[in-house]
Amino acid sequence: MITAIFIYDFKGDVLISKIYKDEIKRNIADVFRIQVINQVSLGRSLTREHRTPVLTLGSTSFIYTKLGNVWLCAVTRSNQDCATVLEFLYKLEALLGAVLWEENKKAKVKQDKLTLLDTSIVNQFLLCYNILGEVCDLGYPINLDMEYVKKYVPGMKDADSGGIFKNIQLRKSFTPSKAVMAAGSSFDAGAGSSTPSAHENITWRSANIKYRRNEIFVHVEEKLNVLFNSQGELLRSYVDGAIQLKTHLSGMPQCRFGFNPSTILLSDTDPDTDSKDNVVKLEDAKFHQCVQLSAFDSDRSIQFIPPDGDFQMMSYNCRHNINIPFRIYTQVREVGERIYYKIKVRSFFSPKTSSSNIIVKIPTPGGASLQSLSVSGGKAKFHPDENAFIWRLNKFYGDTEHSINAEVAIQPLSSSYTQWNRPSITLDFELDTYSSSGLAVRFLKIQEKANYKTVKWVRYKTRSGSYETRY
């Protein structure tokens, strides 16, 4: 989204430059200085284009704001959401103003509101530069909360002590919207009390949420990728999984989410557990910022205070002990100018479960003509334009088998046949109440001081990614 950020002084000199993507050269900073800052410094009346906070030249846009005697400019390429970038700049202004509050006091600057000074930025160059690197990841804004940035930027632990966040007089200078902008920091509503709220560090949720019906929905969604050889042997398999939550909960609920005891993270693995067949080994696990993993090692549970609405609690990969729901058995014979297909698909899950939206695509050589076609279930059709049979089944129950028999005529000496390299047979499906990785939700507990009852829903779903069989 954001290609680069430049911070200028009132003369147009670059104080800090942070380039996130190699789409521009550093000398592009001169364009903004000439087109905007110089026009203002010379006292010339700006055109309508320059009166707006966005300057677009070709495919490059300069989105800017000014606080004190400092200009903040974000450079973007192509078509980006300017409103989002402006919101980011306003919050970045507030964050830098709060961090440099004490530095401004050292410069004996009288300040009754947030401001930015070029001298303060120069004196705290390394701190400001590290902040720019932390609040934006590869050009995408992430988190400008003061408490979050403190954890990852050295030198910020005492940046606000005795300063803006404890100065009662400044509370009157901020409207509620400005307080929200001020790096996500919370100001106490009491006139004489500066005691922070118990949940001031929870920026992803408001404390005054109320619902008549309290519900939480857990969706374990996995995408299965497999590759079989022509003998039906498994060559490669892995799962891309995610746990999506939808929460309609009142107050500030403490949630505990527990997996089956055989679940381990990659960092917890050892040779003994790797050899067990029932181990669910999760790799590359990424968690939402609300998750606390302190209790995972003891009872395989995850603690968190969830955001309101939809969010992804975690994502993971799995490459071991994967459950394969379908196998494809192929018999393809070339006899003279004919090719005979006999394809069987067998399911390996509970007979009480059914898969839906099954599509099997069987490639044929270019220029082939259909001679015969029959299936034991579903419907199949030959598509000459796609050079393939498309076999569709609405339902496929567990522990069952379906087959397709077909015959096509070919031209053996044609270039389309001689260059045919037998592309893999592909399978698409959706399977509810099934987890290919073996991951299972063992419990889900909700605790809140109101002690209300919660309706809980858990759903598993596996769908095909790259599901291929060679022949």
Side-chain angles (χ1 to χ4, degrees):
M1 175 179 286
I2 298 174
T3 304
I5 290 180
F6 295 98
I7 301 180
Y8 302 82
D9 63 6
F10 67 99
K11 297 179 181 179
D13 295 331
V14 178
L15 302 177
I16 298 178
S17 63
K18 182 68 176 179
I19 297 179
Y20 300 101
K21 300 179 182 179
D22 298 330
E23 297 177 348
I24 61 173
K25 296 182 179 179
R26 198 172 298 274
N27 59 7
I28 202 171
D30 297 334
V31 177
F32 179 75
R33 174 177 55 82
I34 296 171
Q35 294 290 333
V36 177
I37 299 179
N38 284 0
Q39 298 294 325
V40 175
S41 62
L42 294 174
R44 296 176 181 175
S45 59
L46 298 179
T47 63
R48 180 180 179 182
E49 181 183 14
H50 292 160
R51 287 200 301 268
T52 65
V54 180
L55 171 65
T56 301
L57 299 174
S59 61
T60 304
S61 296
F62 300 86
I63 305 169
Y64 58 93
T65 181
K66 187 174 185 289
L67 183 64
N69 62 356
V70 173
W71 295 79
L72 270 70
C73 177
V75 183
T76 65
R77 297 300 298 267
S78 67
N79 187 19
Q80 301 295 343
D81 188 347
C82 293
T84 302
V85 178
L86 275 173
E87 183 183 6
F88 168 75
L89 289 179
Y90 291 146
K91 292 185 177 181
L92 179 60
E93 279 184 349
L95 177 61
L96 293 177
V99 170
L100 299 176
W101 183 267
E102 293 295 327
E103 187 66 29
N104 292 345
K105 289 175 61 178
K106 293 179 183 178
K108 298 181 180 180
V109 176
K110 184 179 180 181
Q111 49 185 354
D112 56 354
K113 61 181 179 179
L114 287 175
T115 188
L116 290 179
L117 297 177
D118 51 357
T119 55
S120 299
I121 292 178
V122 172
N123 293 337
Q124 295 291 335
F125 171 83
L126 184 59
L127 178 61
C128 296
Y129 187 83
N130 289 337
I131 290 174
L132 291 181
E134 186 59 43
V135 299
C136 207
D137 186 13
L138 297 176
Y140 291 90
I142 44 178
N143 195 337
L144 286 92
D145 174 59
M146 176 70 77
E147 297 300 325
Y148 169 82
V149 179
K150 276 184 180 181
K151 297 177 183 178
Y152 301 101
V153 177
M156 278 193 61
K157 292 185 178 180
D158 299 324
D160 61 338
S161 60
I164 183 173
F165 300 109
K166 294 184 179 179
N167 194 320
I168 300 175
Q169 296 177 354
L170 287 181
R171 294 175 191 161
K172 300 179 181 179
S173 303
F174 288 91
T175 62
S177 59
K178 290 292 183 181
V180 173
M181 289 181 184
S185 301
S186 59
F187 289 80
D188 205 337
S193 173
S194 60
T195 304
S197 172
H199 301 291
E200 64 176 357
N201 295 335
I202 302 175
T203 60
W204 57 85
R205 183 180 180 89
S206 174
N208 56 359
I209 299 174
K210 293 183 180 180
Y211 286 99
R212 290 186 178 181
R213 179 182 173 91
N214 293 280
E215 298 177 304
I216 182 169
F217 302 84
V218 180
H219 305 290
V220 181
E221 300 181 355
E222 296 184 340
K223 183 180 290 185
L224 177 59
N225 304 273
V226 299
L227 176 62
F228 297 97
N229 63 12
S230 56
Q231 286 75 40
E233 298 173 347
L234 186 62
L235 299 179
R236 182 181 69 243
S237 64
Y238 64 94
V239 171
D240 294 326
I243 299 180
Q244 301 282 345
L245 266 66
K246 183 177 182 180
T247 61
H248 293 159
L249 301 174
S250 304
M252 279 287 186
Q254 293 279 352
C255 302
R256 290 187 64 207
F257 186 97
F259 294 125
N260 39 332
S262 59
T263 302
I264 57 176
L265 294 177
L266 180 62
S267 58
D268 300 329
T269 58
D270 56 66
D272 295 334
T273 57
D274 287 346
S275 61
K276 297 180 180 180
D277 294 336
N278 61 345
V279 170
V280 180
K281 187 168 76 170
L282 306 181
E283 304 177 16
D284 301 326
K286 298 180 178 62
F287 297 89
H288 190 273
Q289 62 176 332
C290 69
V291 173
Q292 302 174 2
L293 294 174
S294 56
F296 186 84
D297 293 336
S298 59
D299 59 359
R300 293 297 182 265
S301 67
I302 293 176
Q303 299 180 4
F304 58 97
I305 298 177
D308 185 48
D310 297 322
F311 72 101
Q312 181 174 290
M313 189 190 74
M314 70 173 293
S315 62
Y316 58 90
N317 297 327
C318 184
R319 300 178 182 273
H320 300 269
N321 302 327
I322 294 176
N323 301 315
I324 304 298
F326 292 99
R327 286 184 178 268
I328 303 175
Y329 304 95
T330 63
Q331 293 182 11
V332 180
R333 296 182 297 113
E334 300 181 20
V335 181
E337 298 181 354
R338 301 292 176 94
I339 299 181
Y340 298 90
Y341 295 86
K342 186 176 182 181
I343 311 297
K344 293 182 179 180
V345 181
R346 182 168 183 81
S347 58
F348 292 88
F349 48 90
S350 172
K352 298 180 181 180
T353 305
S354 65
S355 177
S356 59
N357 300 325
I358 300 94
I359 301 177
V360 183
K361 186 175 182 179
I362 306 169
T364 64
S369 58
L370 179 64
Q371 301 299 309
S372 64
L373 177 62
S374 62
V375 293
S376 62
K379 296 180 180 180
K381 186 177 180 180
F382 178 63
H383 293 262
D385 54 336
E386 299 184 25
N387 298 320
F389 294 101
I390 305 296
W391 181 19
R392 302 177 184 271
L393 298 97
N394 293 330
K395 293 289 184 181
F396 203 128
Y397 289 91
D399 198 22
T400 58
E401 182 180 281
H402 289 288
S403 62
I404 177 174
N405 293 275
E407 177 185 349
V408 296
I410 58 173
Q411 300 177 2
L413 300 180
S414 64
S415 60
S416 59
Y417 175 72
T418 55
Q419 297 176 3
W420 187 51
N421 57 358
R422 290 199 177 191
S424 300
I425 297 174
T426 61
L427 173 65
D428 294 329
F429 65 88
E430 294 180 359
L431 184 56
D432 292 325
T433 67
Y434 186 87
S435 173
S436 291
S437 65
L439 185 69
V441 179
R442 184 161 54 97
F443 63 84
L444 177 59
K445 298 180 180 180
I446 313 295
Q447 292 183 347
E448 215 277 334
K449 61 182 181 180
N451 199 24
Y452 51 73
K453 293 184 178 180
T454 305
V455 180
K456 307 167 188 175
W457 306 84
V458 180
R459 187 189 72 173
Y460 302 90
K461 187 171 188 176
T462 298
R463 64 180 65 197
S464 58
S466 175
Y467 209 101
E468 300 181 349
T469 298
R470 298 172 180 173
Y471 61 96

